[in-house]
Amino acid sequence: MITMDDIIREGRPTLRKVAEEVTLPLSDEDKKLGNELMEFLENSQDPQKAEELELRGGVGLAAPQVNVSKRITAVLVPSLDPNVEEPEFKDVLYNPKILSHSVQGACLGEGEGCLSVDRDVPGYVVRQARITLRYYNAEGEKKKIRLKNYPAVVVQHELDHLNGVLFYDHINEENPFALNEGVLVIE
């Protein structure tokens, strides 16, 4: 089981490397890692388990964050509607790739955080508002989905991890809260 002790922090070389694609069909080892990444997210979003295991809450966790340089990431975006239990998006993504994206940018009003970054980095992280994503799931099925707004932002954050990029690389150093016209701010 993955805990906060298994998650490497900024400064470690694996976080800045471009991760290797996994081979298909998936190895048992790659499937197991995907399951463990998802299990961490599920535990981190369960208030009781998160407290018991001392986990920071997360909506995504990529293999490089546990020091494995492979193109695997788990994403678990809970429903924003308190009456809906079904997550907005949940899957383990193997070899994910953005096929297309909107021109419109989007960012989170409160900025982004990261399980591999133990400090607050203020500023807007502008990403694409909508993306079309292709990936393979744990069964080896090729998936193609469209995501928008918060789930799209989360997936782009995770794909950055597979490319050696951290969220604060996107923040405007001179004016962290500067936004171009038309950028959607997601609250």
Side-chain angles (χ1 to χ4, degrees):
M1 181 173 61
I2 295 171
T3 66
M4 289 305 296
D5 291 339
D6 299 305
I7 295 174
I8 62 174
R9 304 308 200 276
E10 59 183 324
R12 297 284 297 276
T14 306
L15 289 174
R16 291 301 191 172
K17 282 174 35 184
V18 175
E20 298 290 320
E21 287 209 344
V22 293
T23 53
L24 296 162
L26 294 169
S27 67
D28 290 343
E29 178 188 327
D30 289 342
K31 286 182 192 175
K32 181 175 184 283
L33 177 58
N35 287 335
E36 289 175 349
L37 295 171
M38 183 59 77
E39 180 188 36
F40 174 91
L41 297 178
E42 291 168 348
N43 289 340
S44 82
Q45 291 182 25
D46 177 320
Q48 206 172 347
K49 282 188 178 159
E51 187 179 341
E52 179 189 315
L53 299 168
E54 297 180 359
L55 305 179
R56 279 171 51 196
V59 289
L61 186 61
Q65 292 180 272
V66 292
N67 211 18
V68 177
S69 193
K70 290 184 174 181
R71 298 186 83 77
I72 305 170
T73 184
V75 177
L76 175 52
V77 179
S79 171
L80 300 176
D81 181 340
N83 301 319
V84 178
E85 271 189 42
E86 188 71 25
E88 198 158 330
F89 180 63
K90 176 182 181 179
D91 214 342
V92 179
L93 318 178
Y94 294 90
N95 296 340
K97 182 180 174 70
I98 293 174
L99 300 176
S100 62
H101 59 77
S102 62
V103 173
Q104 183 183 27
C107 66
L108 303 182
E110 60 195 36
E112 290 186 20
C114 180
L115 294 167
S116 293
V117 179
D118 288 333
R119 60 195 172 97
D120 187 34
V121 185
Y124 289 135
V125 179
V126 179
R127 301 183 180 281
Q128 304 333 119
R130 292 178 304 285
I131 60 171
T132 300
L133 180 74
R134 186 192 70 214
Y135 67 94
Y136 294 88
N137 66 11
E139 287 73 47
E141 301 164 332
K142 188 191 270 189
K143 299 280 189 181
K144 183 176 162 184
I145 58 164
R146 288 192 176 95
L147 298 169
K148 66 180 186 180
N149 301 340
Y150 186 58
V153 166
V154 171
V155 166
Q156 289 171 83
H157 177 112
E158 295 311 313
L159 266 63
D160 272 356
H161 278 301
L162 305 182
N163 293 318
V165 176
L166 292 172
F167 75 93
Y168 54 74
D169 296 342
H170 295 285
I171 297 174
N172 179 333
E173 283 181 31
E174 289 165 23
N175 189 347
F177 292 98
L179 283 180
N180 292 332
E181 200 175 311
V183 172
L184 175 68
V185 179
I186 301 165
E187 295 298 344

